[in-house]
Amino acid sequence: MNEDWLRPEVTSQGAGAEAKARLIAAYGEPQRRYHDMTHIADGLAQLRAVEGLTDEERTWLAYAIWWHDAVYDPTRSDNEAQSAALARRDLALLGEPAQAIAEVARLIELTKGHQVEAGDRLGALLVSIDLSILGRDPAAYAAYASAVREEYGHVPDALFRPGRAAVLEHLLTARPLYPDEAYRHRFEAQARRNMAAERAALLA
């Protein structure tokens, strides 16, 4: 695979350089506090550590991580669909084959509901990488929750608190939360503790 896409600090060449520059600019938009380049770099670092992937699979996942939050407007509910559409356009310009483009778009759209079918290893990995912040140590989780609140600064507390609590309740009902087994063993228990504590504080 093109290793440039696994490392955000590496400068790509030609059309790839232009695409990466556009993405980096998008992730620097002022409304972003969590869904920014730090989130993307973290996801790529996790992907580099995953074993047992073909070059093709790793490429698809790298692209999905780069583009999955490329469109992010906290006032809209179609960010994933818009990000997938942008990936389709950009990857076509990069000359990627139709199979790759379709798979990357499919993976991106999974990040809306974070549910995958049994046997979908790539989907399970992308969803688990995307949700990994939920299972980090309490300080990292608190920083994430604070950043999300800033992204929804346009929403008053009276609406945000019950809305966020409902989102957390939905996540807490997922069995399992992490569809990838390795992520489940590493993060699931702590993620449930983190989310339960945040939800209790929101409803207090």
Side-chain angles (χ1 to χ4, degrees), residues 56-136:
E56 185 177 59
E57 290 170 336
R58 202 175 297 277
T59 297
W60 293 347
L61 284 166
Y63 285 152
I65 289 169
W66 270 102
W67 268 272
H68 82 284
D69 284 325
V71 177
Y72 184 70
D73 179 349
T75 68
R76 297 177 63 96
S77 61
D78 63 348
N79 291 310
E80 294 83 4
Q82 293 297 320
S83 294
L86 183 62
R88 289 189 190 96
R89 186 201 73 184
D90 288 351
L91 293 176
L93 292 173
L94 292 179
E96 290 291 341
Q99 180 187 9
I101 294 170
E103 177 63 1
V104 171
R106 182 189 75 84
L107 291 169
I108 290 169
E109 290 180 348
L110 289 176
T111 63
K112 183 173 180 65
H114 295 101
Q115 298 295 310
V116 301
E117 298 292 332
D120 181 4
R121 190 193 181 203
L122 298 190
L125 277 168
L126 181 65
V127 164
S128 296
I129 288 170
D130 195 35
L131 295 178
S132 63
I133 186 61
L134 302 178
R136 304 292 174 86

Side-chain angles (χ1 to χ4, degrees), residues 2-13 16-17 20-21 23-24 37-38 40-46 48 66:
N2 184 344
E3 294 288 332
D4 291 2
W5 289 99
L6 278 175
R7 300 181 183 278
E9 71 278 8
V10 175
T11 302
S12 300
Q13 300 296 319
K20 185 180 278 190
L23 287 167
I24 290 172
M37 272 306 301
T38 298
I40 302 307
D42 179 69
L44 293 172
Q46 292 181 61
R48 292 196 297 271
W66 270 102

